[in-house]
mmCIF file of all heavy atoms in Angstrom:
data_model
loop_
_atom_site.group_PDB
_atom_site.id
_atom_site.type_symbol
_atom_site.label_atom_id
_atom_site.label_comp_id
_atom_site.label_asym_id
_atom_site.label_seq_id
_atom_site.Cartn_x
_atom_site.Cartn_y
_atom_site.Cartn_z
ATOM 1 N N TRP A 15 3.714 2.094 -11.462
ATOM 2 C CA TRP A 15 4.684 2.588 -10.493
ATOM 3 C C TRP A 15 5.746 1.529 -10.227
ATOM 4 O O TRP A 15 5.510 0.332 -10.425
ATOM 5 C CB TRP A 15 4.002 2.888 -9.150
ATOM 6 C CG TRP A 15 2.890 3.856 -9.165
ATOM 7 C CD1 TRP A 15 2.953 5.204 -8.903
ATOM 8 C CD2 TRP A 15 1.502 3.581 -9.427
ATOM 9 N NE1 TRP A 15 1.710 5.768 -8.981
ATOM 10 C CE2 TRP A 15 0.798 4.806 -9.311
ATOM 11 C CE3 TRP A 15 0.790 2.425 -9.751
ATOM 12 C CZ2 TRP A 15 -0.571 4.896 -9.492
ATOM 13 C CZ3 TRP A 15 -0.577 2.509 -9.949
ATOM 14 C CH2 TRP A 15 -1.242 3.729 -9.822
ATOM 15 N N LYS A 16 6.889 1.963 -9.752
ATOM 16 C CA LYS A 16 7.850 1.042 -9.168
ATOM 17 C C LYS A 16 7.238 0.533 -7.869
ATOM 18 O O LYS A 16 6.909 1.322 -6.985
ATOM 19 C CB LYS A 16 9.174 1.743 -8.897
ATOM 20 C CG LYS A 16 10.012 2.036 -10.129
ATOM 21 C CD LYS A 16 10.605 0.754 -10.701
ATOM 22 C CE LYS A 16 11.560 1.047 -11.835
ATOM 23 N NZ LYS A 16 12.130 -0.214 -12.395
ATOM 24 N N PHE A 17 7.078 -0.772 -7.757
ATOM 25 C CA PHE A 17 6.341 -1.342 -6.641
ATOM 26 C C PHE A 17 6.906 -0.912 -5.296
ATOM 27 O O PHE A 17 6.165 -0.501 -4.392
ATOM 28 C CB PHE A 17 6.332 -2.870 -6.751
ATOM 29 C CG PHE A 17 5.673 -3.563 -5.603
ATOM 30 C CD1 PHE A 17 4.312 -3.416 -5.368
ATOM 31 C CD2 PHE A 17 6.410 -4.372 -4.745
ATOM 32 C CE1 PHE A 17 3.696 -4.061 -4.302
ATOM 33 C CE2 PHE A 17 5.809 -5.021 -3.683
ATOM 34 C CZ PHE A 17 4.448 -4.870 -3.457
ATOM 35 N N CYS A 18 8.206 -0.988 -5.135
ATOM 36 C CA CYS A 18 8.810 -0.717 -3.832
ATOM 37 C C CYS A 18 8.835 0.762 -3.473
ATOM 38 O O CYS A 18 9.160 1.128 -2.342
ATOM 39 C CB CYS A 18 10.227 -1.289 -3.787
ATOM 40 S SG CYS A 18 10.255 -3.097 -3.823
ATOM 41 N N GLU A 19 8.489 1.642 -4.434
ATOM 42 C CA GLU A 19 8.487 3.083 -4.179
ATOM 43 C C GLU A 19 7.076 3.640 -4.010
ATOM 44 O O GLU A 19 6.901 4.839 -3.778
ATOM 45 C CB GLU A 19 9.184 3.814 -5.329
ATOM 46 C CG GLU A 19 10.649 3.419 -5.516
ATOM 47 C CD GLU A 19 11.277 4.080 -6.729
ATOM 48 O OE1 GLU A 19 10.567 4.865 -7.410
ATOM 49 O OE2 GLU A 19 12.453 3.808 -7.010
ATOM 50 N N MET A 20 6.063 2.781 -4.103
ATOM 51 C CA MET A 20 4.681 3.259 -4.120
ATOM 52 C C MET A 20 4.270 3.986 -2.851
ATOM 53 O O MET A 20 3.484 4.920 -2.888
ATOM 54 C CB MET A 20 3.726 2.086 -4.360
ATOM 55 C CG MET A 20 3.709 1.594 -5.786
ATOM 56 S SD MET A 20 2.614 0.156 -6.003
ATOM 57 C CE MET A 20 1.032 0.831 -5.485
ATOM 58 N N GLU A 21 4.791 3.562 -1.704
ATOM 59 C CA GLU A 21 4.330 4.113 -0.437
ATOM 60 C C GLU A 21 5.454 4.770 0.365
ATOM 61 O O GLU A 21 5.367 4.868 1.585
ATOM 62 C CB GLU A 21 3.683 3.007 0.403
ATOM 63 C CG GLU A 21 2.448 2.423 -0.228
ATOM 64 C CD GLU A 21 1.719 1.468 0.698
ATOM 65 O OE1 GLU A 21 2.398 0.701 1.413
ATOM 66 O OE2 GLU A 21 0.490 1.501 0.716
ATOM 67 N N GLU A 22 6.472 5.250 -0.313
ATOM 68 C CA GLU A 22 7.613 5.842 0.392
ATOM 69 C C GLU A 22 7.232 7.048 1.229
ATOM 70 O O GLU A 22 7.849 7.332 2.255
ATOM 71 C CB GLU A 22 8.703 6.225 -0.612
ATOM 72 C CG GLU A 22 9.501 5.038 -1.135
ATOM 73 C CD GLU A 22 10.665 5.481 -1.994
ATOM 74 O OE1 GLU A 22 10.605 6.620 -2.536
ATOM 75 O OE2 GLU A 22 11.635 4.706 -2.139
ATOM 76 N N GLU A 23 6.211 7.795 0.808
ATOM 77 C CA GLU A 23 5.816 9.010 1.519
ATOM 78 C C GLU A 23 4.761 8.749 2.597
ATOM 79 O O GLU A 23 4.368 9.670 3.311
ATOM 80 C CB GLU A 23 5.297 10.049 0.524
ATOM 81 C CG GLU A 23 6.361 10.493 -0.491
ATOM 82 C CD GLU A 23 5.834 11.535 -1.452
ATOM 83 O OE1 GLU A 23 4.656 11.931 -1.300
ATOM 84 O OE2 GLU A 23 6.589 11.951 -2.341
ATOM 85 N N GLU A 24 4.299 7.515 2.713
ATOM 86 C CA GLU A 24 3.295 7.174 3.714
ATOM 87 C C GLU A 24 3.959 6.919 5.070
ATOM 88 O O GLU A 24 5.125 6.541 5.155
ATOM 89 C CB GLU A 24 2.526 5.914 3.288
ATOM 90 C CG GLU A 24 1.760 6.059 1.985
ATOM 91 C CD GLU A 24 0.478 6.847 2.158
ATOM 92 O OE1 GLU A 24 0.053 7.058 3.308
ATOM 93 O OE2 GLU A 24 -0.100 7.247 1.131
ATOM 94 N N ASP A 25 3.191 7.170 6.149
ATOM 95 C CA ASP A 25 3.661 6.802 7.479
ATOM 96 C C ASP A 25 3.758 5.285 7.572
ATOM 97 O O ASP A 25 2.990 4.560 6.934
ATOM 98 C CB ASP A 25 2.702 7.317 8.553
ATOM 99 C CG ASP A 25 2.649 8.842 8.587
ATOM 100 O OD1 ASP A 25 3.660 9.466 8.205
ATOM 101 O OD2 ASP A 25 1.591 9.390 8.970
ATOM 102 N N ASP A 26 4.684 4.800 8.390
ATOM 103 C CA ASP A 26 4.891 3.358 8.497
ATOM 104 C C ASP A 26 3.620 2.617 8.878
ATOM 105 O O ASP A 26 3.358 1.517 8.391
ATOM 106 C CB ASP A 26 5.989 3.056 9.536
ATOM 107 C CG ASP A 26 7.383 3.324 8.977
ATOM 108 O OD1 ASP A 26 7.479 3.616 7.765
ATOM 109 O OD2 ASP A 26 8.354 3.227 9.743
ATOM 110 N N GLU A 27 2.797 3.224 9.731
ATOM 111 C CA GLU A 27 1.573 2.547 10.172
ATOM 112 C C GLU A 27 0.532 2.457 9.066
ATOM 113 O O GLU A 27 -0.404 1.655 9.151
ATOM 114 C CB GLU A 27 0.982 3.263 11.381
ATOM 115 C CG GLU A 27 0.675 4.731 11.121
ATOM 116 C CD GLU A 27 0.440 5.494 12.418
ATOM 117 O OE1 GLU A 27 1.086 5.169 13.413
ATOM 118 O OE2 GLU A 27 -0.401 6.402 12.396
ATOM 119 N N GLU A 28 0.677 3.272 8.011
ATOM 120 C CA GLU A 28 -0.258 3.247 6.893
ATOM 121 C C GLU A 28 0.259 2.382 5.742
ATOM 122 O O GLU A 28 -0.489 2.039 4.829
ATOM 123 C CB GLU A 28 -0.508 4.669 6.372
ATOM 124 C CG GLU A 28 -1.118 5.616 7.384
ATOM 125 C CD GLU A 28 -2.560 5.250 7.698
ATOM 126 O OE1 GLU A 28 -3.217 4.655 6.821
ATOM 127 O OE2 GLU A 28 -3.012 5.559 8.819
ATOM 128 N N ARG A 29 1.530 2.008 5.780
ATOM 129 C CA ARG A 29 2.148 1.278 4.678
ATOM 130 C C ARG A 29 1.917 -0.219 4.791
ATOM 131 O O ARG A 29 1.722 -0.754 5.870
ATOM 132 C CB ARG A 29 3.658 1.546 4.637
ATOM 133 C CG ARG A 29 4.042 2.964 4.293
ATOM 134 C CD ARG A 29 5.550 3.149 4.336
ATOM 135 N NE ARG A 29 6.232 2.278 3.397
ATOM 136 C CZ ARG A 29 7.565 2.224 3.278
ATOM 137 N NH1 ARG A 29 8.329 2.971 4.059
ATOM 138 N NH2 ARG A 29 8.124 1.421 2.395
ATOM 139 N N TRP A 30 1.964 -0.898 3.642
ATOM 140 C CA TRP A 30 1.953 -2.351 3.626
ATOM 141 C C TRP A 30 3.062 -2.905 2.738
ATOM 142 O O TRP A 30 3.255 -4.121 2.664
ATOM 143 C CB TRP A 30 0.595 -2.882 3.177
ATOM 144 C CG TRP A 30 0.196 -2.540 1.772
ATOM 145 C CD1 TRP A 30 -0.361 -1.373 1.336
ATOM 146 C CD2 TRP A 30 0.317 -3.378 0.614
ATOM 147 N NE1 TRP A 30 -0.585 -1.412 -0.017
ATOM 148 C CE2 TRP A 30 -0.190 -2.637 -0.491
ATOM 149 C CE3 TRP A 30 0.794 -4.668 0.391
ATOM 150 C CZ2 TRP A 30 -0.216 -3.147 -1.792
ATOM 151 C CZ3 TRP A 30 0.765 -5.181 -0.898
ATOM 152 C CH2 TRP A 30 0.263 -4.426 -1.970
ATOM 153 N N ILE A 31 3.813 -2.011 2.087
ATOM 154 C CA ILE A 31 4.917 -2.429 1.221
ATOM 155 C C ILE A 31 6.243 -2.097 1.896
ATOM 156 O O ILE A 31 6.542 -0.922 2.153
ATOM 157 C CB ILE A 31 4.842 -1.731 -0.152
ATOM 158 C CG1 ILE A 31 3.524 -2.071 -0.855
ATOM 159 C CG2 ILE A 31 6.027 -2.137 -1.026
ATOM 160 C CD1 ILE A 31 3.290 -1.286 -2.130
ATOM 161 N N PHE A 32 7.014 -3.123 2.187
ATOM 162 C CA PHE A 32 8.335 -2.945 2.799
ATOM 163 C C PHE A 32 9.319 -3.869 2.081
ATOM 164 O O PHE A 32 9.442 -5.049 2.410
ATOM 165 C CB PHE A 32 8.301 -3.266 4.296
ATOM 166 C CG PHE A 32 7.445 -2.332 5.104
ATOM 167 C CD1 PHE A 32 6.120 -2.637 5.354
ATOM 168 C CD2 PHE A 32 7.963 -1.138 5.600
ATOM 169 C CE1 PHE A 32 5.323 -1.774 6.099
ATOM 170 C CE2 PHE A 32 7.176 -0.274 6.334
ATOM 171 C CZ PHE A 32 5.850 -0.591 6.587
ATOM 172 N N CYS A 33 9.961 -3.355 1.042
ATOM 173 C CA CYS A 33 10.909 -4.149 0.260
ATOM 174 C C CYS A 33 12.293 -4.149 0.931
ATOM 175 O O CYS A 33 12.620 -3.223 1.675
ATOM 176 C CB CYS A 33 11.028 -3.583 -1.152
ATOM 177 S SG CYS A 33 9.494 -3.716 -2.118
ATOM 178 N N PRO A 34 13.131 -5.161 0.634
ATOM 179 C CA PRO A 34 12.849 -6.319 -0.231
ATOM 180 C C PRO A 34 12.092 -7.404 0.519
ATOM 181 O O PRO A 34 12.060 -7.410 1.751
ATOM 182 C CB PRO A 34 14.254 -6.785 -0.603
ATOM 183 C CG PRO A 34 15.087 -6.437 0.600
ATOM 184 C CD PRO A 34 14.523 -5.142 1.110
ATOM 185 N N TYR A 35 11.496 -8.321 -0.239
ATOM 186 C CA TYR A 35 10.798 -9.469 0.336
ATOM 187 C C TYR A 35 11.609 -10.732 0.066
ATOM 188 O O TYR A 35 11.897 -11.055 -1.090
ATOM 189 C CB TYR A 35 9.396 -9.619 -0.269
ATOM 190 C CG TYR A 35 8.442 -8.548 0.182
ATOM 191 C CD1 TYR A 35 8.181 -7.445 -0.619
ATOM 192 C CD2 TYR A 35 7.797 -8.635 1.411
ATOM 193 C CE1 TYR A 35 7.300 -6.455 -0.201
ATOM 194 C CE2 TYR A 35 6.919 -7.650 1.838
ATOM 195 C CZ TYR A 35 6.677 -6.569 1.025
ATOM 196 O OH TYR A 35 5.809 -5.588 1.438
ATOM 197 N N LYS A 36 11.975 -11.417 1.122
ATOM 198 C CA LYS A 36 12.687 -12.681 0.978
ATOM 199 C C LYS A 36 11.700 -13.777 0.587
ATOM 200 O O LYS A 36 10.486 -13.628 0.764
ATOM 201 C CB LYS A 36 13.381 -13.035 2.292
ATOM 202 C CG LYS A 36 14.467 -12.047 2.697
ATOM 203 C CD LYS A 36 15.126 -12.468 4.006
ATOM 204 C CE LYS A 36 16.226 -11.484 4.395
ATOM 205 N NZ LYS A 36 16.893 -11.871 5.667
ATOM 206 N N PRO A 37 12.194 -14.888 0.061
ATOM 207 C CA PRO A 37 11.288 -15.990 -0.281
ATOM 208 C C PRO A 37 10.476 -16.426 0.940
ATOM 209 O O PRO A 37 11.005 -16.539 2.040
ATOM 210 C CB PRO A 37 12.244 -17.091 -0.735
ATOM 211 C CG PRO A 37 13.456 -16.367 -1.228
ATOM 212 C CD PRO A 37 13.595 -15.174 -0.325
ATOM 213 N N GLY A 38 9.185 -16.634 0.742
ATOM 214 C CA GLY A 38 8.323 -17.023 1.850
ATOM 215 C C GLY A 38 6.900 -16.576 1.619
ATOM 216 O O GLY A 38 6.553 -16.031 0.563
ATOM 217 N N SER A 39 6.052 -16.809 2.618
ATOM 218 C CA SER A 39 4.632 -16.479 2.531
ATOM 219 C C SER A 39 4.334 -15.192 3.292
ATOM 220 O O SER A 39 4.869 -14.971 4.378
ATOM 221 C CB SER A 39 3.789 -17.630 3.091
ATOM 222 O OG SER A 39 3.981 -18.805 2.324
ATOM 223 N N TYR A 40 3.459 -14.374 2.708
ATOM 224 C CA TYR A 40 3.096 -13.091 3.300
ATOM 225 C C TYR A 40 1.577 -12.915 3.241
ATOM 226 O O TYR A 40 0.922 -13.388 2.306
ATOM 227 C CB TYR A 40 3.775 -11.941 2.559
ATOM 228 C CG TYR A 40 5.281 -11.980 2.616
ATOM 229 C CD1 TYR A 40 6.011 -12.714 1.667
ATOM 230 C CD2 TYR A 40 5.982 -11.307 3.611
ATOM 231 C CE1 TYR A 40 7.398 -12.772 1.709
ATOM 232 C CE2 TYR A 40 7.371 -11.356 3.668
ATOM 233 C CZ TYR A 40 8.064 -12.085 2.716
ATOM 234 O OH TYR A 40 9.438 -12.145 2.776
ATOM 235 N N SER A 41 1.043 -12.242 4.252
ATOM 236 C CA SER A 41 -0.388 -11.954 4.304
ATOM 237 C C SER A 41 -0.594 -10.473 4.551
ATOM 238 O O SER A 41 0.091 -9.877 5.393
ATOM 239 C CB SER A 41 -1.073 -12.763 5.418
ATOM 240 O OG SER A 41 -1.014 -14.148 5.146
ATOM 241 N N TRP A 42 -1.539 -9.882 3.831
ATOM 242 C CA TRP A 42 -1.842 -8.465 3.990
ATOM 243 C C TRP A 42 -3.356 -8.268 4.100
ATOM 244 O O TRP A 42 -4.140 -8.999 3.494
ATOM 245 C CB TRP A 42 -1.349 -7.656 2.794
ATOM 246 C CG TRP A 42 0.136 -7.555 2.660
ATOM 247 C CD1 TRP A 42 0.995 -6.904 3.499
ATOM 248 C CD2 TRP A 42 0.952 -8.104 1.612
ATOM 249 N NE1 TRP A 42 2.284 -7.011 3.033
ATOM 250 C CE2 TRP A 42 2.287 -7.742 1.892
ATOM 251 C CE3 TRP A 42 0.676 -8.855 0.472
ATOM 252 C CZ2 TRP A 42 3.342 -8.119 1.062
ATOM 253 C CZ3 TRP A 42 1.724 -9.231 -0.342
ATOM 254 C CH2 TRP A 42 3.030 -8.864 -0.049
ATOM 255 N N VAL A 43 -3.736 -7.241 4.848
ATOM 256 C CA VAL A 43 -5.109 -6.744 4.874
ATOM 257 C C VAL A 43 -5.015 -5.252 4.610
ATOM 258 O O VAL A 43 -4.406 -4.508 5.388
ATOM 259 C CB VAL A 43 -5.802 -7.009 6.226
ATOM 260 C CG1 VAL A 43 -7.216 -6.426 6.210
ATOM 261 C CG2 VAL A 43 -5.841 -8.504 6.526
ATOM 262 N N ILE A 44 -5.598 -4.804 3.505
ATOM 263 C CA ILE A 44 -5.412 -3.430 3.028
ATOM 264 C C ILE A 44 -6.757 -2.722 2.954
ATOM 265 O O ILE A 44 -7.669 -3.178 2.249
ATOM 266 C CB ILE A 44 -4.739 -3.420 1.634
ATOM 267 C CG1 ILE A 44 -3.463 -4.275 1.654
ATOM 268 C CG2 ILE A 44 -4.441 -1.994 1.199
ATOM 269 C CD1 ILE A 44 -3.042 -4.744 0.287
ATOM 270 N N ASP A 45 -6.891 -1.616 3.673
ATOM 271 C CA ASP A 45 -8.124 -0.825 3.665
ATOM 272 C C ASP A 45 -7.972 0.376 2.741
ATOM 273 O O ASP A 45 -6.958 1.090 2.804
ATOM 274 C CB ASP A 45 -8.457 -0.331 5.075
ATOM 275 C CG ASP A 45 -8.816 -1.479 6.015
ATOM 276 O OD1 ASP A 45 -9.885 -2.071 5.819
ATOM 277 O OD2 ASP A 45 -8.017 -1.783 6.919
ATOM 278 N N ARG A 46 -8.966 0.609 1.907
ATOM 279 C CA ARG A 46 -8.966 1.766 1.022
ATOM 280 C C ARG A 46 -10.368 2.369 0.983
ATOM 281 O O ARG A 46 -11.346 1.683 0.669
ATOM 282 C CB ARG A 46 -8.531 1.387 -0.394
ATOM 283 C CG ARG A 46 -7.052 1.074 -0.532
ATOM 284 C CD ARG A 46 -6.200 2.317 -0.383
ATOM 285 N NE ARG A 46 -4.789 2.055 -0.572
ATOM 286 C CZ ARG A 46 -3.932 1.758 0.405
ATOM 287 N NH1 ARG A 46 -4.382 1.678 1.651
ATOM 288 N NH2 ARG A 46 -2.665 1.554 0.148
ATOM 289 N N LYS A 47 -10.473 3.648 1.302
ATOM 290 C CA LYS A 47 -11.750 4.351 1.255
ATOM 291 C C LYS A 47 -12.203 4.524 -0.192
ATOM 292 O O LYS A 47 -11.418 4.901 -1.067
ATOM 293 C CB LYS A 47 -11.606 5.729 1.921
ATOM 294 C CG LYS A 47 -12.796 6.654 1.759
ATOM 295 C CD LYS A 47 -14.030 6.134 2.460
ATOM 296 C CE LYS A 47 -15.200 7.099 2.348
ATOM 297 N NZ LYS A 47 -16.452 6.504 2.857
ATOM 298 N N ILE A 48 -13.474 4.236 -0.469
ATOM 299 C CA ILE A 48 -14.066 4.546 -1.768
ATOM 300 C C ILE A 48 -14.657 5.949 -1.658
ATOM 301 O O ILE A 48 -15.595 6.166 -0.886
ATOM 302 C CB ILE A 48 -15.148 3.522 -2.148
ATOM 303 C CG1 ILE A 48 -14.513 2.134 -2.289
ATOM 304 C CG2 ILE A 48 -15.851 3.938 -3.439
ATOM 305 C CD1 ILE A 48 -15.501 1.026 -2.607
ATOM 306 N N PRO A 49 -14.091 6.923 -2.362
ATOM 307 C CA PRO A 49 -14.501 8.327 -2.175
ATOM 308 C C PRO A 49 -15.996 8.553 -2.352
ATOM 309 O O PRO A 49 -16.615 8.015 -3.276
ATOM 310 C CB PRO A 49 -13.696 9.074 -3.247
ATOM 311 C CG PRO A 49 -12.514 8.195 -3.526
ATOM 312 C CD PRO A 49 -13.034 6.791 -3.373
ATOM 313 N N ASN A 50 -16.552 9.357 -1.463
ATOM 314 C CA ASN A 50 -17.980 9.669 -1.531
ATOM 315 C C ASN A 50 -18.329 10.547 -2.728
ATOM 316 O O ASN A 50 -19.490 10.625 -3.131
ATOM 317 C CB ASN A 50 -18.431 10.365 -0.245
ATOM 318 C CG ASN A 50 -18.342 9.459 0.970
ATOM 319 O OD1 ASN A 50 -18.417 8.246 0.849
ATOM 320 N ND2 ASN A 50 -18.180 10.053 2.145
ATOM 321 N N TYR A 51 -17.322 11.236 -3.290
ATOM 322 C CA TYR A 51 -17.600 12.162 -4.382
ATOM 323 C C TYR A 51 -17.652 11.473 -5.754
ATOM 324 O O TYR A 51 -17.952 12.116 -6.760
ATOM 325 C CB TYR A 51 -16.554 13.282 -4.424
ATOM 326 C CG TYR A 51 -15.120 12.813 -4.547
ATOM 327 C CD1 TYR A 51 -14.599 12.346 -5.750
ATOM 328 C CD2 TYR A 51 -14.282 12.835 -3.438
ATOM 329 C CE1 TYR A 51 -13.294 11.913 -5.850
ATOM 330 C CE2 TYR A 51 -12.965 12.412 -3.523
ATOM 331 C CZ TYR A 51 -12.482 11.957 -4.730
ATOM 332 O OH TYR A 51 -11.172 11.529 -4.820
ATOM 333 N N LEU A 52 -17.370 10.173 -5.824
ATOM 334 C CA LEU A 52 -17.427 9.497 -7.115
ATOM 335 C C LEU A 52 -18.864 9.474 -7.631
ATOM 336 O O LEU A 52 -19.798 9.224 -6.870
ATOM 337 C CB LEU A 52 -16.917 8.061 -6.984
ATOM 338 C CG LEU A 52 -15.422 7.865 -6.719
ATOM 339 C CD1 LEU A 52 -15.109 6.382 -6.614
ATOM 340 C CD2 LEU A 52 -14.590 8.504 -7.812
ATOM 341 N N PRO A 53 -19.062 9.717 -8.912
ATOM 342 C CA PRO A 53 -20.424 9.655 -9.468
ATOM 343 C C PRO A 53 -20.943 8.226 -9.499
ATOM 344 O O PRO A 53 -20.180 7.256 -9.497
ATOM 345 C CB PRO A 53 -20.256 10.222 -10.884
ATOM 346 C CG PRO A 53 -18.817 10.011 -11.211
ATOM 347 C CD PRO A 53 -18.070 10.151 -9.916
ATOM 348 N N LYS A 54 -22.260 8.097 -9.520
ATOM 349 C CA LYS A 54 -22.878 6.777 -9.582
ATOM 350 C C LYS A 54 -22.540 6.107 -10.910
ATOM 351 O O LYS A 54 -22.372 6.759 -11.943
ATOM 352 C CB LYS A 54 -24.394 6.895 -9.423
ATOM 353 C CG LYS A 54 -24.830 7.313 -8.028
ATOM 354 C CD LYS A 54 -26.322 7.105 -7.813
ATOM 355 C CE LYS A 54 -27.155 8.038 -8.638
ATOM 356 N NZ LYS A 54 -28.605 7.940 -8.314
#
């Protein structure tokens, strides 16, 4: 995917990508559910 377009349809509170990024340090904590329907 185009990195900066990955979360365009997500609500702001659910997003962690906000381009552009200026030079500097950034920290993220990203939660993702592992679907219960995945086979073992």
Side-chain angles (χ1 to χ4, degrees):
W15 302 265
K16 286 288 186 180
F17 176 66
C18 292
E19 299 176 1
M20 285 178 60
E21 296 188 321
E22 284 187 337
E23 298 181 2
E24 298 283 346
D25 296 332
D26 283 353
E27 57 195 34
E28 299 290 333
R29 293 178 60 182
W30 64 278
I31 300 173
F32 295 93
C33 295
Y35 289 99
K36 296 181 179 180
S39 298
Y40 298 87
S41 295
W42 291 293
V43 178
I44 308 158
D45 293 290
R46 288 290 183 268
K47 171 65 177 172
I48 297 178
N50 294 334
Y51 57 76
L52 291 180
K54 291 193 292 186

